Amino acid sequence: MIELVRTNDPIVISFIEALMRDAGLAFFVADQNMSIMEGSLGVLPRRVLVAEDDVDEARRILIDAGFAAEMRDG
């Protein structure tokens, strides 16, 4: 899987999850449960990963939705 976004903002993560789900793309949000380790402070970022075959479409969807600045290079 390829990392698309890394953020501490749960609203951004939730919105991106909805976009990927609506598009029918395979995705995974990594590090969701790290709040247990950090004491629920929201310090550690969560990562949105998509299947390698879907990365171009996922990037296009994020750009169209105004999340270009949130995307990781690569």
Side-chain angles (χ1 to χ4, degrees), residues 17-47:
E17 283 181 291
L19 290 171
M20 297 299 113
R21 195 174 299 116
D22 288 350
L25 300 181
F27 71 95
F28 177 73
V29 179
D31 306 323
Q32 287 190 106
N33 298 319
M34 290 304 291
S35 63
I36 295 167
M37 299 293 292
E38 66 176 81
S40 299
L41 299 174
V43 175
L44 299 173
R46 280 62 170 170
R47 298 174 293 140

Side-chain angles (χ1 to χ4, degrees), residues 1 7-8 15 17-18 29 31 38-42 48 53-55 57-58 61 63 65 67-68 72 74:
M1 297 198 95
T7 182
N8 293 356
F15 193 81
E17 283 181 291
V29 179
D31 306 323
E38 66 176 81
S40 299
L41 299 174
V48 178
D53 294 343
D54 295 331
V55 74
E57 184 177 358
I61 289 167
I63 289 168
F67 287 101
R72 305 288 285 181

Side-chain angles (χ1 to χ4, degrees), residues 3-7 48 59 67-74:
E3 181 180 342
L4 279 184
V5 174
R6 183 181 296 192
T7 182
V48 178
R59 286 183 188 281
F67 287 101
E70 299 286 338
M71 286 192 305
R72 305 288 285 181
D73 293 335

